[in-house]
Amino acid sequence: MTGKRLLRTAALVTGALALASSLTACGGGSSAAAGGEGGEKVVTVYSADGLKSEKGDGWYDKVFADFTKKTGIEVKYVEGGSGEMVQRAVREKTNTQADVLITLPPFIQQADGKGLLQPYKPQGSDKVNGADKAADGKWTSVVKNYFGFVYNKKELTEAPKSWEELLDAKYKGKLQYSTPGVAGDGTAVLIKSMHDFGGQEPAMEYLKKLQANNVGPSSSTSKLAPKTDKGELLVANGDVQMNFAQSKSMPNLGIWFPAKEGGKPTSFALPYAAGLVDKAPHTENGKKLLDFLLGEEAQQLVSGVGGGFPARTDVKPTDANAVELTKLMTGVEIFEPNWADIDKNLTGYVDAWKSATGS
């Protein structure tokens, strides 16, 4: 499930290595860095991309700065694809580095299934819809979001309407979607196509045909919007929050929702869901950050600053972005995926996609 321009992969790798290096370097001295709270004023966040801007004006930029100003706790931040962040946390289970993990479904459920999360119900989580949080408190959505696609408004006079339209030869080498099983939005392509086409088999038949036009794999969805804005691509996948924020500095970027030919455009909620990491080095600081992210002040900024939708149902922004986002979603049929099934069978779905597309 971010104008604003997201940190690019090279920068992320550099930042991640720098963080890993600093944590390792501290390991032999400070007991806080070695895993105890020790009063250390730091909290480490592993997050899917989309909420931070390299210009410094994203939702994370604003709320992290406010959090540090209020608490004195520094936020150390590492981002990547949803699956990538979960895999990293799994590798570090014997030497936990992250305090808070924020990722998209079904990867937040996957993180829970792998024992990465501990129960904590942040202040304000009682105002989050039941479908947007785990009943046992293992994770809670902090920003509501929806899956979508982008197109180049300069090259295309109007947005495509159907999946079938994307099979046209004019999209050959001009269409790309991020990799299912690695990127949250890439996995969402599988989820939506299986819903729209009525099951795994017809969806894979379609994606096999679409592969003739597909540029190829991309581990991160956020890099596809700039390519679309420049005309290198005509169509790509994304999500509403990230792409809406990007469109403020990318004038050729339009958001649309594919439909099966003859059907209605559809989407589903793809929220940024946050959980407290099990055996986190700074558990109490992680709790404070989760409380802050779900606080009314931070939630009021979700649309105006982040281009997304508040996770709390009692927070109803009326800023210009909120009005525009409501208009954008009008007429789009929202369905609710069976996340338990997807979590259980994700590997099989991704394997079927690899087989169908030769990826």
Side-chain angles (χ1 to χ4, degrees), residues 19-20 23-24 33 44 46 88 92 95-99 279 281-282:
L19 173 60
L23 291 171
T24 302
T44 298
Y46 284 7
R88 176 169 176 159
E92 296 172 349
N95 183 28
T96 308
Q97 304 293 337
D99 301 301
K279 298 180 179 64
H282 312 100

Side-chain angles (χ1 to χ4, degrees), residues 266-317:
T266 68
S267 184
F268 62 95
L270 202 60
Y272 291 88
L276 187 65
V277 177
D278 188 43
K279 298 180 179 64
H282 312 100
T283 295
E284 293 307 311
N285 293 348
K287 289 179 180 179
K288 289 175 183 177
L289 179 61
L290 290 172
D291 290 345
F292 194 83
L293 295 178
L294 271 180
E296 288 189 42
E297 184 178 344
Q299 288 289 299
Q300 284 285 357
L301 297 173
V302 168
S303 57
V305 176
F309 306 82
R312 287 179 55 155
T313 58
D314 63 329
V315 175
K316 302 182 185 300

Side-chain angles (χ1 to χ4, degrees), residues 39-307:
E40 190 177 19
K41 305 287 275 185
V42 66
V43 61
T44 298
V45 177
Y46 284 7
S47 177
D49 51 5
L51 291 172
K52 187 170 174 57
S53 165
E54 71 174 8
K55 287 186 174 182
D57 56 358
W59 187 69
Y60 274 163
D61 300 289
K62 172 63 175 169
V63 296
F64 288 170
D66 289 348
F67 174 73
T68 299
K69 184 176 180 180
K70 180 179 179 180
T71 65
I73 299 170
E74 178 189 359
V75 179
K76 291 189 178 294
Y77 178 74
V78 180
E79 78 171 34
S82 291
E84 178 188 357
M85 290 295 92
V86 173
Q87 290 162 14
R88 176 169 176 159
V90 168
R91 291 194 301 269
E92 296 172 349
K93 277 188 79 170
T94 58
N95 183 28
T96 308
Q97 304 293 337
D99 301 301
V100 172
L101 177 67
I102 304 177
T103 188
L104 308 180
F107 295 99
I108 194 67
Q109 290 89 346
Q110 185 183 86
D112 185 15
K114 292 181 180 296
L116 295 176
L117 307 176
Q118 59 175 300
Y120 179 66
K121 296 181 179 180
Q123 296 174 24
S125 61
D126 59 316
K127 304 297 185 183
V128 176
N129 272 331
D132 296 327
K133 61 186 178 184
D136 61 2
K138 291 288 187 67
W139 57 267
T140 306
S141 298
V142 292
V143 172
K144 188 99 171 184
N145 192 19
Y146 296 92
F147 179 60
F149 274 65
V150 291
Y151 74 103
N152 182 291
K153 295 192 294 186
K154 183 178 180 181
E155 299 294 330
L156 300 175
T157 54
E158 61 179 8
K161 291 182 173 59
S162 70
W163 287 104
E164 290 83 355
E165 197 174 328
L166 300 181
L167 299 176
D168 191 282
K170 74 178 180 181
Y171 292 104
K172 187 173 179 64
K174 291 286 188 175
L175 176 151
Q176 190 173 18
Y177 61 91
S178 51
T179 307
V182 176
D185 291 325
T187 306
V189 172
L190 291 187
I191 295 170
K192 179 170 158 57
S193 60
M194 286 192 294
H195 171 270
D196 290 358
F197 286 96
Q200 177 182 320
E201 189 173 333
M204 298 309 158
E205 288 177 4
Y206 169 78
L207 292 172
K208 180 178 182 179
K209 295 176 185 175
L210 186 66
Q211 194 65 11
N213 289 344
N214 187 19
V215 171
S218 173
S219 61
S220 176
T221 312
S222 59
K223 66 178 67 174
L224 303 182
K227 292 181 180 180
T228 305
D229 179 64
K230 294 173 185 174
E232 295 174 24
L233 299 173
L234 292 177
V235 168
N237 69 317
D239 62 68
V240 173
Q241 176 276 324
M242 177 173 65
N243 296 144
F244 185 84
Q246 290 171 318
S247 70
K248 298 303 180 180
S249 62
M250 299 179 192
N252 299 321
L253 203 65
I255 299 172
W256 68 291
F257 304 90
K260 191 174 185 298
E261 202 163 51
K264 292 182 178 180
T266 68
S267 184
F268 62 95
L270 202 60
Y272 291 88
L276 187 65
V277 177
D278 188 43
K279 298 180 179 64
H282 312 100
T283 295
E284 293 307 311
N285 293 348
K287 289 179 180 179
K288 289 175 183 177
L289 179 61
L290 290 172
D291 290 345
F292 194 83
L293 295 178
L294 271 180
E296 288 189 42
E297 184 178 344
Q299 288 289 299
Q300 284 285 357
L301 297 173
V302 168
S303 57
V305 176

Side-chain angles (χ1 to χ4, degrees), residues 177 179 211 214 217 353-359:
Y177 61 91
T179 307
Q211 194 65 11
N214 187 19
W353 169 81
K354 288 178 179 177
S355 177
T357 61
S359 299

